[in-house]
Amino acid sequence: DSGVTQTPKHLITATGQRVTLRCSPRSGDLSVYWYQQSLDQGLQFLIHYYNGEERAKGNILERFSAQQFPDLHSELNLSSLELGDSALYFCASSRGGQGDSPLHFGNGTRLTVT
Amino acid sequence: QKEVEQDPGPLSVPEGAIVSLNCTYSNSAFQYFMWYRQYSRKGPELLMYTYSSGNKEDGRFTAQVDKSSKYISLFIRDSQPSDSATYLCAAQKVTFGIGTKLQVIP
């Protein structure tokens, strides 16, 4: 068990809808990272938060947004969903904000858009 | 060209074999490298974390980084059927290889 908790495990929704994915980092970790994993694209970095502040953005669509709350949990909001958004969404946490500590992943949320 | 290239395999080996998994990267500024193991429908599990060049060993696993050739490797000794999974290499924390699917045959 990595100590990173993601909810829900599975989500099935229709095109055009909005969903929220939740992540609780490991105790003591200040950084939260979000990734999307699809079969043909591998693991794609979306966004990084450190202690409540956005630190870096990757290939995140404008329809997607995230935030990290004072208790350090994070939420990823996906709106105007399309079929192509179906994927596994992973959250990972690390102690610091730079490369000096490794990432620990949750078990992901499997999103299916129908 | 992706920043981290990894052969997706699949790679099949007999139980007990030494497995060599490799990645190349293009950005010479990368300093931190990680290897993850991912079982089907699970999150990636950290195996090795290395900084700059050199070797790091942990049990049956050895990670190597050669910054001069921008090449990173993971060796698995005495491979077991339970090692059958997808192995992901990563540079820094935001750039991942596509993963190599490994099957260890009893």
Side-chain angles (χ1 to χ4, degrees):
Chain A
D1 183 5
S2 69
V4 178
T5 304
Q6 288 188 249
T7 56
K9 289 183 180 178
H10 303 279
L11 207 45
I12 301 174
T13 190
T15 54
Q17 296 298 304
R18 172 189 166 96
V19 297
T20 297
L21 283 52
R22 183 187 168 103
C23 170
S24 293
R26 292 191 322 158
S27 176
D29 285 359
L30 298 178
S31 272
V32 170
Y33 296 75
W34 287 97
Y35 299 84
Q36 179 191 60
Q37 188 177 44
S38 56
L39 279 173
D40 57 345
Q41 292 291 319
L43 206 58
Q44 298 291 313
F45 166 65
L46 296 177
I47 198 163
H48 167 211
Y49 277 84
Y50 176 77
N51 203 21
E53 293 188 3
E54 181 186 304
R55 277 292 181 91
K57 272 187 173 180
N59 300 319
I60 188 165
L61 299 172
E62 285 194 13
R63 300 184 284 109
F64 296 1
S65 65
Q67 53 185 326
Q68 186 180 27
F69 294 88
D71 66 353
L72 300 176
H73 92 272
S74 179
E75 293 181 355
L76 179 67
N77 301 295
L78 315 177
S79 61
S80 302
L81 285 167
E82 302 175 359
L83 295 177
D85 297 328
S86 296
L88 267 169
Y89 290 85
F90 286 106
C91 161
S93 72
S94 69
R95 196 73 59 182
Q98 302 299 323
D100 56 344
S101 55
L103 288 171
H104 297 270
F105 282 82
N107 277 325
T109 293
R110 182 173 294 277
L111 174 66
T112 302
V113 183
T114 62
Chain B
Q1 181 191 8
K2 291 176 69 99
E3 286 196 288
V4 175
E5 298 278 358
Q6 184 176 14
D7 186 336
L11 178 64
S12 291
V13 301
E15 182 176 353
I18 296 174
V19 176
S20 173
L21 302 166
N22 308 292
C23 292
T24 58
Y25 62 95
S26 57
N27 191 334
S28 57
F30 288 162
Q31 296 185 76
Y32 300 94
F33 304 93
M34 288 157 277
W35 282 96
Y36 289 86
R37 176 174 63 194
Q38 186 175 22
Y39 293 112
S40 181
R41 298 178 177 269
K42 293 289 189 182
E45 172 194 4
L46 178 68
L47 289 176
M48 301 291 280
Y49 175 70
T50 55
Y51 170 71
S52 194
S53 282
N55 294 0
K56 185 174 182 178
E57 188 173 320
D58 184 1
R60 295 185 297 113
F61 299 94
T62 299
Q64 282 185 355
V65 176
D66 182 348
K67 292 200 76 180
S68 62
S69 57
K70 300 190 185 71
Y71 200 81
I72 55 177
S73 302
L74 178 72
F75 298 95
I76 308 174
R77 291 182 297 280
D78 188 26
S79 56
Q80 302 296 310
S82 59
D83 294 327
S84 298
T86 297
Y87 290 79
L88 300 162
C89 62
Q92 307 298 95
K93 293 177 182 175
V94 298
T95 308
F96 283 75
I98 199 162
T100 299
K101 189 168 184 178
L102 172 68
Q103 184 178 18
V104 181
I105 302 166

